[in-house]
Amino acid sequence: MMDRFSYSLNRKTEPPVGWGFIMVSILLGFMLTAIPLPSWAEAWRPCWIALLIFYWCINFPNKTGVIFAFVTGIFLDVFNDGTLGEQALCLSMVSLVATTYSKRFKIYPRLQQGVFVAVLFLIYVFLVRKIQNFDAPLVDGITPVGEVISSAFLWPWLVLLLDEMARRVYFR
């Protein structure tokens, strides 16, 4: 018991999160994506799955990565009845950026993290929109910006919630 709380330099201070916890959070992300919203709020729906993929790839890049994001994206494509591979490609891009910059990203303050998330998710949303409507103009109103703003606003709260849940589940 005391071994889990030692603070030596060769031990990780992160909780040893298992696959069950990751899968439950992704399942909850799919549930949040499926919740019907009024037409005025649909433009502000956060990118729940992309947020969770980004979180897990930032905090546990050895456990999750591009392949995990690709498989989750395939499930999201089937879930949304979209073209097979569009979400998988875009989520793979998000996870590649997350795993590449995971150590650097953790030292930034939460506000700067939110700005980084906003820029990354703006690219993600525009890429998804461009794949879905190849002939359409790149910017099609304010719809993508609402998703990006709501996702960036939710990022610090999602980090606090998942960090606390992981701490409570694994450090009893």
Side-chain angles (χ1 to χ4, degrees), residues 24-101:
V24 166
S25 70
I26 295 292
L27 181 65
L28 286 173
F30 274 105
M31 289 179 185
L32 289 170
T33 302
I35 292 175
L37 294 176
S39 60
W40 62 269
E42 191 65 38
W44 294 90
R45 179 188 298 272
C47 308
W48 289 109
I49 299 296
L51 274 170
L52 290 168
I53 291 290
F54 188 73
Y55 173 80
W56 290 119
C57 287
I58 285 290
N59 290 314
F60 302 99
N62 296 333
K63 217 170 248 229
T64 58
V66 177
I67 295 173
F68 175 72
F70 187 82
V71 171
T72 306
I74 292 290
F75 282 122
L76 189 59
D77 286 331
V78 171
F79 183 76
N80 287 336
D81 230 9
T83 305
L84 201 60
E86 63 187 21
Q87 290 286 340
L89 173 70
C90 297
L91 285 176
S92 297
M93 183 262 318
V94 167
S95 70
L96 181 66
V97 170
T99 53
T100 303
Y101 296 109

Side-chain angles (χ1 to χ4, degrees), residues 5-172:
F5 294 107
S6 65
Y7 291 101
S8 64
L9 294 176
N10 60 356
R11 294 221 182 243
K12 288 185 174 182
T13 58
E14 301 171 339
V17 173
W19 278 105
F21 190 65
I22 294 171
M23 290 303 173
V24 166
S25 70
I26 295 292
L27 181 65
L28 286 173
F30 274 105
M31 289 179 185
L32 289 170
T33 302
I35 292 175
L37 294 176
S39 60
W40 62 269
E42 191 65 38
W44 294 90
R45 179 188 298 272
C47 308
W48 289 109
I49 299 296
L51 274 170
L52 290 168
I53 291 290
F54 188 73
Y55 173 80
W56 290 119
C57 287
I58 285 290
N59 290 314
F60 302 99
N62 296 333
K63 217 170 248 229
T64 58
V66 177
I67 295 173
F68 175 72
F70 187 82
V71 171
T72 306
I74 292 290
F75 282 122
L76 189 59
D77 286 331
V78 171
F79 183 76
N80 287 336
D81 230 9
T83 305
L84 201 60
E86 63 187 21
Q87 290 286 340
L89 173 70
C90 297
L91 285 176
S92 297
M93 183 262 318
V94 167
S95 70
L96 181 66
V97 170
T99 53
T100 303
Y101 296 109
S102 64
K103 290 182 181 180
R104 187 180 305 172
F105 184 80
K106 287 180 187 179
I107 62 172
Y108 294 146
R110 295 272 191 247
L111 182 63
Q112 196 169 357
Q113 287 180 2
V115 170
F116 184 81
V117 166
V119 170
L120 179 65
F121 280 25
L122 188 65
I123 295 168
Y124 165 77
V125 168
F126 280 140
L127 188 60
V128 168
R129 295 278 193 257
K130 197 60 181 169
I131 291 172
Q132 289 173 346
N133 300 323
F134 193 70
D135 296 339
L138 184 62
V139 179
D140 197 24
I142 196 165
T143 304
V145 177
E147 293 178 36
V148 170
I149 291 171
S150 63
S151 297
F153 177 74
L154 282 175
W155 171 253
W157 303 106
L158 182 78
V159 170
L160 286 173
L161 177 72
L162 287 175
D163 284 348
E164 182 64 23
M165 285 176 60
R167 188 185 65 78
R168 286 184 185 224
V169 167
Y170 291 100
F171 287 143
R172 289 185 203 188

